[in-house]
Amino acid sequence: MRLRAAWRRPHTGEEGGTEPAGSPGLLRDPDFRRLFAATALGQLGDRIIFLAMPLVALIALHATAFQVGVLTAMTTAGSLLVGLPAGASVDRMRKRTVMISTDFVRAVVLVSIPLAWSAGLLTIWWLYAAALIHGILSVFFDVSYVSYLPFLVGRANVVEGNSKLSAIRSVTTIGGPSIAGPLVGWLGAPVTLLVSAAGMGVSGLLAIGIRKREPKPEATQRPRLVREIKEGLEFVLRQPALRAVMLGDAIFNLFLVMYQTMLLVYLERTIGLASFGIGLILSAMGCGALLGALVARKVSKRAGLGPTIWLAPLITCPLTVLMPLAHPGWSMYVATVGLACLSLGGVVRVVAQSSFQQALTPDHLLGRISATARFVSWGGIPLGGLLGGATGSMIGPAAALWIGAAGMTVSVVPNLLSPLRGMRDLPTPENVELAPSETG
């Protein structure tokens, strides 16, 4: 299962398709347009949740910093709890069906929060439960989504597909907080979650309209869940570059969530911003993410795929220290630019990483490798939420931001010590030797 030397082929441009970066490209395909629109609405709902859920805890329930950290942990615990089984399970199902069903069920879970609040039943434990269920369903959705894209657009177009979907995610990252901030001030944080539920519901309806259907996976008489999970883990462990990507991502996400958990607390209680001001800052981060999506293909082509994965965070993560140095006034604007740069670098890195992973993985392992990547990369995120909450409670939100900024910066070390350091082109599954368990 090691990569042969043949994978360092001359750069042909095939990994990004033949379309120029600014052309419609895949958007000419009706099915991709439906996925694109579904992504826009689903991500809009998610970005509203990102602001509204913690504000429900902070404003409606007067939660402590540690309780906000626990809420973040519950939101992301699904990757740790079901990350590996989700991949093996999704490989036995049609990915599109999983996407549709999880969209609708997540919408129902979100609707329960404003209903409980209006009935006077909402507690922090209700929020924990809703966040946990939503997070578990999101694991199945994301594993299916990542695995479905190469089937829908073809492997030669995965970089373009990831870039366009990252672009629309970045637009919603800008629009979501901008919408959520005023809505929280007008309707209250619990009711604002109805907008998120509506976005996910419509996303599910759009996914129903996608006409390109996968062939039904072959049924096995006896599911081999443990063996299938093992195959996914073995594939990752025997690929030095893929192993480095996931380890670096795990470190980055741990400290990113620690940082993000206390960012809202810092802005609301230390800086004294209202929900509208917090929404504007998060929207500025979205502007950086949008710029990152627009330049991701060009950066990967010019710098090379491997260098892009480690160079983007190395340049942008140190700028996050500007936020704990900020005070009300002009320094807050400078710190916001630093957060925008973090988002820019993050999107460029994620597009390169996703394209690398999808290109390297054989079709029959896509679900398992996606789930393994999520398990390894996101498994520590709940710990990041708890660490952020605990650090913020003991030594203050600003200190938690300092630690988070340092941790994100050092996350590039595994990639620098791997073959990614000088790797320029996408690998292909044909250049991967498979273990006997994967060929038999």
Side-chain angles (χ1 to χ4, degrees):
M1 280 176 42
R2 62 186 180 276
L3 294 181
R4 297 173 178 167
W7 78 314
R8 291 179 177 274
R9 65 191 186 282
H11 181 76
T12 62
E14 291 178 357
E15 68 273 15
T18 58
E19 296 287 345
S23 69
L26 288 173
L27 290 175
R28 297 192 183 101
D29 180 354
D31 281 341
F32 183 78
R33 284 202 303 271
R34 292 184 182 94
L35 180 65
F36 187 82
T39 298
L41 290 170
Q43 288 293 320
L44 180 62
D46 257 346
R47 298 314 298 174
I48 292 174
I49 292 171
F50 178 78
L51 179 61
M53 186 83 82
L55 289 179
V56 171
L58 286 168
I59 297 173
L61 300 178
H62 307 289
T64 65
F66 183 71
Q67 287 175 323
V68 175
V70 173
L71 180 61
T72 300
M74 291 295 102
T75 302
T76 56
S79 297
L80 190 60
L81 296 176
V82 300
L84 292 177
S89 299
V90 164
D91 277 338
R92 298 195 198 106
M93 298 181 281
R94 287 190 171 105
K95 280 74 172 175
R96 172 181 162 277
T97 302
V98 178
M99 292 162 56
I100 293 167
S101 58
T102 51
D103 261 341
F104 288 145
V105 179
R106 287 189 295 171
V108 172
V109 170
L110 292 174
V111 168
S112 75
I113 295 174
L115 290 179
W117 175 74
S118 64
L121 300 174
L122 186 63
T123 65
I124 192 66
W125 292 101
W126 190 300
L127 274 187
Y128 290 162
L132 179 61
I133 295 170
H134 184 275
I136 289 173
L137 293 170
S138 294
V139 171
F140 281 90
F141 177 89
D142 289 344
V143 169
S144 302
Y145 174 84
V146 173
S147 305
Y148 184 63
L149 183 64
F151 169 80
L152 186 67
V153 305
R155 289 182 178 276
N157 297 308
V158 291
V159 174
E160 181 188 350
N162 283 320
S163 295
K164 282 183 164 56
L165 293 175
S166 292
I168 194 60
R169 285 196 293 267
S170 302
V171 170
T172 57
T173 298
I174 299 170
S178 300
I179 295 171
L183 284 178
V184 169
W186 179 38
L187 300 174
V191 178
T192 301
L193 290 173
L194 289 175
V195 179
S196 298
M200 290 186 176
V202 178
S203 173
L205 292 173
L206 285 166
I208 289 175
I210 295 176
R211 293 171 296 181
K212 188 174 183 180
R213 311 294 172 87
E214 305 162 277
K216 187 175 181 179
E218 294 183 7
T220 56
Q221 292 181 347
R222 297 177 58 187
R224 301 170 298 170
L225 183 61
V226 174
R227 179 179 173 183
E228 290 172 358
I229 291 172
K230 182 182 177 182
E231 288 175 355
L233 285 170
E234 286 179 346
F235 184 88
V236 172
L237 292 175
R238 292 174 185 260
Q239 307 295 333
L242 190 57
R243 191 169 64 235
V245 165
M246 293 188 187
L247 178 58
D249 215 28
I251 298 170
F252 178 85
N253 286 330
L254 172 71
F255 288 100
L256 173 65
V257 171
M258 182 179 182
Y259 190 98
Q260 288 180 328
T261 299
M262 285 299 101
L263 177 62
L264 294 179
V265 177
Y266 178 79
L267 293 174
E268 200 262 343
R269 294 185 176 172
T270 302
I271 301 298
L273 292 179
S275 58
F276 182 75
I278 296 174
L280 289 179
I281 288 178
L282 296 180
S283 294
M285 293 179 67
C287 290
L290 176 60
L291 181 59
L294 294 175
V295 303
R297 291 175 65 197
K298 184 177 293 186
V299 171
S300 293
K301 183 176 180 180
R302 179 161 298 185
L305 195 70
T308 297
I309 292 174
W310 58 263
L311 192 58
L314 184 63
I315 293 173
T316 58
C317 287
L319 299 176
T320 56
V321 300
L322 296 171
M323 182 55 70
L325 292 172
H327 302 282
W330 66 268
S331 61
M332 181 56 61
Y333 298 109
V334 176
T336 301
V337 172
L339 294 181
C341 291
L342 173 68
S343 296
L344 186 155
V347 170
V348 170
R349 176 183 62 86
V350 166
V351 169
Q353 286 184 180
S354 298
S355 303
F356 172 82
Q357 177 185 312
Q358 290 164 344
L360 178 63
T361 306
D363 287 336
H364 72 286
L365 288 176
L366 277 167
R368 273 166 278 178
I369 301 307
S370 175
T372 301
R374 188 181 177 107
F375 177 81
V376 175
S377 301
W378 290 35
I381 287 181
L383 178 60
L386 294 175
L387 284 176
T391 304
S393 297
M394 290 188 294
I395 57 179
L401 296 183
W402 275 100
I403 296 172
M408 287 187 285
T409 302
V410 302
S411 69
V412 303
V413 172
N415 293 325
L416 287 173
L417 299 177
S418 78
L420 281 172
R421 185 175 60 253
M423 188 182 300
R424 296 193 58 84
D425 300 316
L426 283 175
T428 62
E430 291 76 13
N431 293 322
V432 179
E433 288 186 10
L434 299 179
S437 62
E438 291 164 15
T439 58

